[in-house]
Amino acid sequence: MVRGLRSTFRRVCWVGPLPDLPPDRPVAGYFNHHSFYDGYLGWALAHFLLKRAPITWMADWEAYPFFATVGAYPFPFDDPKQRVATIRRTAQRFEDPKTFLIYFPEAELHRPEDGILPFDTAPFQRLDRLFPPKVWWPVAFHATWWGESLPTLLMAGGTPHPVSTGDEHERLTATLETARQAHRTEARTILDGHASPDERWNLSFAAPFFKRYL
């Protein structure tokens, strides 16, 4: 996963200060879903920055079962019994306050140009009833270009809240806008990727050989 992130992004950064997440409660982060690597990024956030144990619900877990080693649980659209089992297992894991759920409420991968797709907030309220006390936290991913051959990935977080407020879509939309508008000076690198060719190479020694083409 680290190798995949480093080969895809020049760097992965956190924007602004990290919210004060309570150490005595698990956190359920809810994210936008604009790239294949969003699960990887949620894991990197939990592992490198938060130092928490991640859980991810995967609709296509059967195709990639090895992700179970990093906290992925099956959540197939066509198997309600398995979804219920995963929710129960997650509730058990939430007894540990160091747990971090990576939740994609849009439930599908889609183009960044679409913004945040509409999603039902009823699942948030149901999970409030099923889970032990925890904190909801909107987190957004945004890929941008800083003049290098690979994009930079920016993460931003909104305001944590202990229960569903029904406006999770608005909260996530505002958090995505924070990531999109972030200045480079606000970004803290949490994972470095591969350097661009112009950062690694300097071929000025060959300039005399090519001046005849000018």
Side-chain angles (χ1 to χ4, degrees):
M1 292 172 71
V2 170
R3 184 168 61 249
L5 290 174
R6 283 180 167 158
S7 64
T8 303
F9 301 107
R10 177 59 187 87
R11 62 187 64 80
V12 175
C13 300
W14 180 260
V15 171
L18 192 66
D20 187 18
L21 298 172
D24 59 344
R25 288 193 177 189
V27 176
Y30 54 102
F31 301 77
N32 58 314
H33 199 11
H34 293 164
S35 87
F36 169 84
Y37 290 99
D38 291 341
Y40 290 27
L41 292 165
W43 171 84
L45 172 62
H47 183 75
F48 292 111
L49 198 57
L50 303 180
K51 309 300 182 184
R52 288 175 175 262
I55 297 175
T56 309
W57 297 350
M58 286 184 62
D60 53 353
W61 184 93
E62 293 288 344
Y64 308 99
F66 50 85
F67 282 120
T69 61
V70 288
Y73 289 98
F75 206 78
F77 294 119
D78 59 352
D79 189 345
K81 288 184 178 180
Q82 179 60 70
R83 294 200 302 273
V84 169
T86 288
I87 291 172
R88 287 175 177 168
R89 177 59 179 143
T90 302
Q92 293 171 353
R93 288 280 306 274
F94 266 35
E95 297 294 340
D96 179 358
K98 301 298 287 183
T99 303
F100 182 71
L101 174 63
I102 302 164
Y103 176 47
F104 298 104
E106 298 168 286
E108 65 176 283
L109 178 62
H110 63 95
R111 304 181 313 155
E113 292 81 4
D114 298 331
I116 306 296
L117 296 181
F119 59 81
D120 186 6
T121 59
F124 286 79
Q125 294 146 23
R126 287 196 294 271
L127 294 175
D128 276 340
R129 295 191 295 269
L130 295 169
F131 287 171
K134 44 89 194 73
V135 172
W136 290 108
W137 185 34
V139 182
F141 301 142
H142 173 60
T144 189
W145 297 85
W146 285 352
E148 294 143 338
S149 62
L150 295 175
T152 287
L153 193 287
L154 301 177
M155 302 181 181
T159 302
H161 50 108
V163 296
S164 173
T165 51
D167 61 351
E168 282 76 22
H169 187 277
E170 290 79 4
R171 288 174 180 267
L172 189 53
T173 299
T175 305
L176 177 58
E177 190 61 23
T178 297
R180 285 175 171 170
Q181 298 298 326
H183 192 272
R184 188 165 185 165
T185 56
E186 302 175 85
R188 171 165 49 124
T189 299
I190 63 174
L191 182 67
D192 259 319
H194 295 316
S196 300
D198 61 293
E199 298 177 80
R200 293 182 282 116
W201 301 341
N202 185 339
L203 303 180
S204 58
F205 70 91
F209 297 101
F210 293 91
K211 285 185 176 179
R212 63 192 181 93
Y213 293 101
L214 301 179

